Amino acid sequence: MSAAPRATSASTLQPSGLDPLRWAWQLLTNVKFALLLVGLAGVAGMIGTILPQMPGPMRGNPAARSAWLELQRSQYGPLTGLFDRLGFFEVFHTAWFNGLWFLIIVAVTVCTVSRLRPTIRAVRNPPKRVPDAYFERAHHRADFSHPGGADAVERLLRQRRYTVQRVREEPGAVYLFADRYPWSQYGTFLSHLALLMLLLGGMLTVFAGFDRTMVIAETTPAAPVFAQAGPNQLFIKMIDANRGLDADGNIIDYHSIIEVRRGDETVRCKTTVNDPCSAFGYKVHQAAWFDDIARIRITAPSGQVLYDDILDFEGRTAAIPVLRVTNAAGQVLFAQQLPQMATDPGLDPADRGDDTALALLVFPSAPAAENLVSYAVAWQFRDGRMVLTVTSPDFDPVVLRPGEEGQAGEFRIRFEGAAAIPATTVLDMPGATSDAGAVVQMPLGGDGKPYLMVSGIDDRNVILQQGQAVTTAAGYTYLFQGRVEASGVSVRRDPGDTFIWVAVAMAMVGLGITFYVPRRRLWVKVTPSRTYMAGIAEKTTRFSRELRLMGRDLGARDALQPGDTDPDR
């Protein structure tokens, strides 16, 4: 007779080995792993803050990238190549940083989801029974004697907005459970959800957003926004770049009137720093304002127009003196900026420190007189201050510092101070007499209007007044059409901003609930001789003191401890 087959144990049918999904879930909900991710993100942020980061336009240009890295090699030496390979010079655009960012988002998502069911369970089905030993070892507890029994305790708790339940009644004891603001526990979950939305908003901004800053001058053609042409290309034209001044000359406003065009549609609007222009899903913010731009027209001897566009000084300036010349009668003969006309390189041409700027001060001998007086003027910087020397065969040299004045022959010269004017070197200037190009300065005349002084296009310095054409000996004609204002505008599309604003609102609500409406859970044991209370509350509360004050309100004389009634404690 054969034996009956033995039933197979259920345990032998269970799969063995590591469950990768469970392992990943446990890892992502592990506090130590979360701290590791946050620490790595902090280290990456420090690297990206301490080390110089490659400008955006250079990242896609191999030649510019190589030149930028060579500049860093002088500071970081042989580590430059290693830092470049690790992405330390463009931390926030590397795959490993974006991967770390994505992993943090996944970890926060998993933690938030994992907390949802326990949070709901803790709010809807809290433990309502505790062992008697809990009343003796709970962190927040109190015991006292009072009249009225369990009914008095219930009435007091309901007056203090607790939900009260009689859990059980035994001979000699009544057990109560009281809960106040149970829904406030969702505040922590709301804060976690806010962090998740904040991270998602940041990721959307990085990967789907757009941000480009452009400088667009008045009178220039509409500038394309995107590098690649296409049907969705945007063009921005600067109609008016405006700087608002009050009666005292203080700047009170920057704004621009622009036209944004896509295809056949055009939106005309005003943009400021805090009130951008919205068009075609993009926002155009005012970012800067410039007035160091000149419009020039240059014509060849043949009559061909060689250049008819703006000259952007790009923030380059030269320091020149501002002088005031008066005669013996106190009449003003000269009161304006004096542009530099030449440079004395000093003993060492390679050392710019001993360079001396030279100019010729020319003014009428009397108001409206045709007879002109000319003095040689030179200036250097000594100890950070401009020092001016006026010379002439008719008198000894006069040395002046800002704010000083001196007698120069029959005239009195006051050095009002130094001024910075737009100045730049144009290497490819049409009509330049040498390969060194031409130097262009844009000072202000005595009437406050700008003009150009150009060196290097003739055997003398050429003064270009607005609207007055000048032809050089070589036949080139130069026309200064006026100073042009421009605005720096930032064109942005940020699909993550809605997530970020919602996240901020959720975080404020969540933190407000957590700190200002904390949940309190209270277990009470009422006996004929004594009442015992034990509870759980946030650390921001002084729950034990609250329990003792309840005992006082119930009429107990043994509930309070020293200092319980002191409002400052």
Side-chain angles (χ1 to χ4, degrees), residues 75-92:
Q75 182 174 359
Y76 300 102
L79 294 177
T80 304
L82 176 63
F83 286 172
D84 181 42
R85 288 191 294 273
L86 293 175
F88 285 178
F89 291 130
E90 42 186 335
V91 170
F92 307 110

Side-chain angles (χ1 to χ4, degrees), residues 312-536:
D312 190 350
F313 290 86
E314 298 180 346
R316 300 184 185 93
T317 61
I320 63 171
V322 181
L323 302 179
R324 180 183 177 90
V325 181
T326 56
N327 58 17
Q331 296 173 309
V332 178
L333 306 177
F334 183 94
Q336 63 184 70
Q337 300 170 347
L338 181 64
Q340 181 177 342
M341 300 178 183
T343 302
D344 181 356
L347 299 176
D348 184 2
D351 182 12
R352 299 296 302 273
D354 64 347
D355 286 3
T356 301
L358 306 175
L360 191 63
L361 174 60
V362 180
F363 56 91
S365 58
E370 296 184 359
N371 183 39
L372 299 178
V373 179
S374 60
Y375 294 155
V377 180
W379 62 87
Q380 282 184 326
F381 277 89
R382 299 175 189 170
D383 298 327
R385 299 183 68 192
M386 182 183 288
V387 179
L388 187 81
T389 304
V390 182
T391 59
S392 172
D394 301 331
F395 53 82
D396 293 333
V398 177
V399 179
L400 300 174
R401 289 172 175 78
E404 297 179 347
E405 60 181 74
Q407 194 70 31
E410 302 176 8
F411 306 97
R412 194 155 189 82
I413 300 179
R414 177 177 175 80
F415 181 15
E416 301 284 4
I421 64 168
T424 188
T425 299
V426 183
L427 297 176
D428 58 348
M429 173 70 81
T433 57
S434 70
D435 294 337
V439 176
V440 184
Q441 301 175 74
M442 188 166 62
L444 297 178
D447 56 359
K449 296 181 179 179
Y451 66 94
L452 297 184
M453 193 186 78
V454 187
S455 306
I457 58 174
D458 206 352
D459 55 0
R460 57 183 176 83
N461 294 314
V462 176
I463 302 296
L464 298 179
Q465 299 289 348
Q466 182 173 340
Q468 300 178 14
V470 175
T471 302
T472 64
Y476 290 88
T477 301
Y478 299 83
L479 175 63
F480 173 44
Q481 296 173 306
R483 181 170 61 186
V484 176
E485 296 176 339
S487 286
V489 294
S490 176
V491 186
R492 301 177 187 174
R493 183 189 62 198
D494 187 359
D497 61 351
T498 302
F499 282 83
I500 292 173
W501 282 113
V502 172
V504 170
M506 291 173 61
M508 293 180 65
V509 172
L511 292 175
I513 291 173
T514 301
F515 287 107
Y516 295 102
V517 195
R519 183 184 187 184
R520 291 165 171 81
R521 284 173 287 177
L522 181 61
W523 293 268
V524 184
K525 176 183 177 182
V526 184
T527 66
S529 60
R530 203 159 187 81
T531 294
Y532 301 87
M533 290 185 173
I536 300 175

